[in-house]
Amino acid sequence: MLIDIPTMFLVNIALCLTLAISIGWVAANEDHDGLRPLIFALTLEALAYFLYALRGRIPDFWSIFIANMAVTGSYALVALAVAQFQQRRLSPLLLWLPMGVFALGLWAVFPHIVFRIAISSVVYLVQDLILLWLLLDGAKRTVGRGQHLLMVGVTLNLLTMVYRAWMALTDEHLVAHITDPGTSQTLVYLSAFVSLTLVAIGFVLMAKEAADEKTRLMAMTDKLTGCWNRFRIEETAQYEMRRLQRYATPVSLILIDVDHFKDVNDTYGHAVGDLILREVAATAQACVRNTDVLGRWGGEEFIVLLPASGFSAAADSAERIRRAIETSVYGDGHRVTASFGFASYRSTDSWDEWLQRADQALYQAKAQGRNRVVAELPLLPASASSPQGTELLRVVWRDVYALGHTTIDAQHRQLFDAANTLIDAMVSGAAKDSIAAKIDAFVALSAQHMQDEEAILARSDFPGCAAHAARHQQLLARAELLRARYARDQLDTTELLHFVVFEFTAQHLLIEDRKFAAYLGGH
């Protein structure tokens, strides 16, 4: 089917002007980077088709030279639009050199239509390649359906230019006049119509997706400090809680409260207070990993969520932030300190319970004089049988903890006894050698239990045998590390107690081991 070429020109003119006016109306009230150059590109494209349609009625200089320069100028403006959207600087040579080369080449071969078609196709092809390079190189900034549509439109035009150049060089009788009908002409201008549509719609959709993402981020960001807000923190925390329950990946959180911040506001004013909050947030952000999430919890209180971080990692991070805040100078010579409370998540916690434990630790930090880091108290209530006046604490075995397997249940009870023996020694201030011996006994008993348990599970139908064995190795490796750090006086009793009571006893023996209870026999 052949299409009347002058009619195709009118359709493309109408398309370009409609798109330019529509996008201009949108861009007039909203700041979408890159839309204005796109409007000028579409206007130039409409001008080019208008001049093409007047071929034979106006001087060839206008209908050929100026029209083709308008097309190549529109390509350059689309590239500029993409660069502005991506917020990057683009070399002027990359933008305007193809136009200069085209102007010289077109002038040199002006009387020869075949050469004009060939050189224009090659220049347009190069500009398409520049556009594709921009889109692919900046994919992280522009990824989405809009970018994909834009790339399809540019690629379609590139393939059309390859076809057009090849036909011009291999068929000297291809066309004698721009408005002559023919299959080649029909394909070229139909392709131009489709390509224009895809490029314009793709760019507008890309701008909309960027605006939507900006709105989403603003809804999750604290306006004053640029940190995540409570909604974003809770959303991320819920994800990390599910990850621990499924993969046993630890996660901790730190609550930070700027000390005596009301006095700062009362003395220096809220403008200074806001400046200090922004700079404190920047200090904390510089102290955490890229994977950690810093948020403003409210007022002068911040929160740090630490994925893949247990008790010791949270303690290190909190102390690092505390020292950085204490030694920093904010605003016009102001100094502040902050109090810290942190807690590691337990799979039996709800979000509120986890947060409450960290908040209680923060309260203790402030009650103890501020400018300090305090951990959750990782111990269970004292046993009723504890001697009068002592502070010995226990992990208490209850019948409901039994899994129904004689060997495993007996070893679990032995591990509870060994844990209590170690807890008693640590809390009562026993000699270091005595505590070290009890740590050795606890680790040896744990290793034997894990070996026996893995042998039992291997004879069962439990589908998580491999994952459970891997968890055993992680726990043993952590126990060995803690033992070595204790021997070098690099470990306080709080962290060791947290491992024994929560990570090993509560989390592993009482929760993770229960997952295979249904697969065990009674022996």
Side-chain angles (χ1 to χ4, degrees):
M1 180 184 69
L2 299 181
I3 297 176
D4 182 62
I5 301 303
T7 301
M8 197 72 231
F9 288 162
L10 291 175
V11 170
N12 282 348
I13 291 170
L15 172 67
C16 291
L17 291 178
T18 301
L19 289 171
I21 293 169
S22 300
I23 296 170
W25 180 68
V26 172
N29 299 317
E30 297 188 34
D31 184 22
H32 290 320
D33 289 338
L35 286 181
R36 285 181 177 84
L38 180 65
I39 294 167
F40 289 120
L42 290 167
T43 304
L44 274 182
E45 195 79 15
L47 173 63
Y49 280 109
F50 177 72
L51 294 174
Y52 286 154
L54 294 177
R55 180 74 59 84
R57 297 182 180 88
I58 60 175
D60 285 351
F61 173 78
W62 290 96
S63 64
I64 296 177
F65 187 83
I66 297 300
N68 280 284
M69 292 307 298
V71 173
T72 190
S74 73
Y75 277 75
L77 286 171
V78 172
L80 179 62
V82 172
Q84 285 189 8
F85 178 82
Q86 295 175 345
Q87 297 182 348
R88 63 194 294 181
R89 293 182 63 86
L90 195 59
S91 168
L93 283 177
L94 212 56
L95 277 177
W96 311 117
L97 182 60
M99 285 188 65
V101 172
F102 186 38
L104 293 174
L106 189 61
W107 192 259
V109 300
F110 194 79
H112 307 286
I113 187 171
V114 172
F115 290 142
R116 289 204 310 264
I117 293 174
I119 195 171
S120 62
S121 299
V122 170
V123 172
Y124 300 156
L125 186 150
V126 169
Q127 291 183 300
D128 281 328
L129 289 173
I130 291 172
L131 263 173
L132 284 177
W133 169 75
L134 280 172
L135 290 167
L136 291 171
D137 188 58
K140 291 182 180 178
R141 301 186 189 96
T142 59
V143 68
R145 293 170 299 170
Q147 175 182 286
H148 296 153
L149 276 179
L150 187 52
M151 291 179 68
V152 170
V154 173
T155 303
L156 175 62
N157 195 68
L158 185 150
L159 295 174
T160 302
M161 291 305 107
V162 172
Y163 168 76
R164 186 168 177 257
W166 177 74
M167 290 295 290
L169 294 173
T170 58
D171 186 358
E172 62 181 26
H173 303 295
L174 172 67
V175 62
H177 192 276
I178 192 171
T179 59
D180 289 348
T183 303
S184 176
Q185 293 280 80
T186 298
L187 288 176
V188 167
Y189 293 115
L190 186 60
S191 170
F193 174 83
V194 175
S195 179
L196 274 170
T197 305
L198 290 174
V199 167
I201 294 176
F203 199 102
V204 171
L205 180 56
M206 194 166 66
K208 177 186 179 300
E209 289 169 340
D212 289 346
E213 178 66 11
K214 184 178 179 181
T215 302
R216 188 185 73 85
L217 290 176
M218 287 178 62
M220 294 183 175
T221 304
D222 174 62
K223 185 177 181 180
L224 175 65
T225 63
C227 300
W228 293 122
N229 60 19
R230 291 179 72 128
F231 175 79
R232 175 59 171 153
I233 289 290
E234 290 189 24
E235 182 183 67
T236 307
Q238 294 291 342
Y239 169 78
E240 293 297 334
M241 290 160 65
R242 291 192 296 271
R243 209 154 72 100
L244 181 141
Q245 291 166 355
R246 186 168 183 178
Y247 303 111
T249 304
V251 58
S252 302
L253 66 82
I254 304 169
L255 284 178
I256 307 170
D257 188 272
V258 180
D259 296 328
H260 304 296
F261 189 72
K262 183 178 184 299
D263 294 343
V264 174
N265 279 333
D266 291 345
T267 305
Y268 303 106
H270 288 278
V272 172
D274 288 349
L275 174 63
I276 290 174
L277 284 179
R278 285 195 296 270
E279 294 185 352
V280 165
T283 299
Q285 188 67 65
C287 294
V288 299
R289 306 167 301 178
N290 291 336
T291 53
D292 298 334
V293 181
L294 173 67
R296 187 179 179 199
W297 199 240
E300 67 273 21
E301 198 168 74
F302 295 87
I303 188 170
V304 184
L305 191 69
L306 301 109
S309 298
F311 190 86
S312 59
D316 291 342
S317 293
E319 180 58 26
R320 185 165 57 251
I321 300 170
R322 188 201 65 78
R323 285 197 304 268
I325 292 174
E326 182 185 36
T327 56
S328 296
V329 178
Y330 299 113
D332 189 20
H334 301 289
R335 289 183 179 273
V336 296
T337 60
S339 301
F340 295 73
F342 70 91
S344 293
Y345 176 65
R346 304 190 302 240
S347 62
T348 52
D349 285 336
S350 66
W351 162 245
D352 290 337
E353 290 168 339
W354 182 20
L355 184 65
Q356 184 181 25
R357 290 191 291 109
D359 194 50
Q360 289 171 347
L362 176 61
Y363 174 81
Q364 290 298 320
K366 291 191 285 188
Q368 292 172 23
R370 294 184 168 83
N371 190 26
R372 66 190 64 232
V373 175
V374 172
E376 57 171 323
L377 184 64
L379 297 170
L380 301 181
S383 166
S385 61
S386 297
Q388 183 73 24
T390 71
E391 296 180 355
L392 298 183
L393 301 157
R394 313 302 253 195
V395 288
V396 181
W397 175 266
R398 295 184 174 88
D399 290 340
V400 294
Y401 298 158
L403 302 181
H405 190 282
T406 304
T407 301
I408 291 178
D409 288 337
Q411 290 181 345
H412 280 186
R413 283 193 293 268
Q414 290 173 352
L415 286 166
F416 265 66
D417 292 340
N420 281 325
T421 301
L422 177 55
I423 292 169
D424 291 349
M426 288 188 287
V427 177
S428 62
K432 179 180 178 180
D433 289 347
S434 175
I435 294 176
K438 291 174 174 57
I439 293 174
D440 291 343
F442 181 79
V443 172
L445 185 61
S446 299
Q448 184 61 54
H449 162 67
M450 291 176 180
Q451 182 180 344
D452 294 344
E453 187 175 85
E454 287 171 22
I456 293 168
L457 291 180
R459 298 191 295 269
S460 73
D461 296 324
F462 179 52
C465 287
H468 200 77
R471 180 60 178 152
H472 281 171
Q473 294 307 308
Q474 292 172 357
L475 286 170
L476 284 176
R478 178 147 167 71
E480 292 290 353
L481 177 62
L482 293 176
R483 177 162 64 175
R485 288 177 58 198
Y486 184 80
R488 296 193 300 267
D489 293 324
Q490 297 175 344
L491 180 71
D492 62 32
T493 55
T494 304
E495 184 176 354
L496 184 56
L497 285 170
H498 188 279
F499 173 76
V500 172
V501 175
F502 284 149
E503 293 184 50
F504 188 86
T505 306
Q507 176 66 32
H508 187 69
L509 298 186
L510 300 185
I511 297 173
E512 293 175 4
D513 278 5
R514 187 159 295 278
K515 294 176 181 178
F516 59 70
Y519 297 89
L520 298 175
H523 2 275

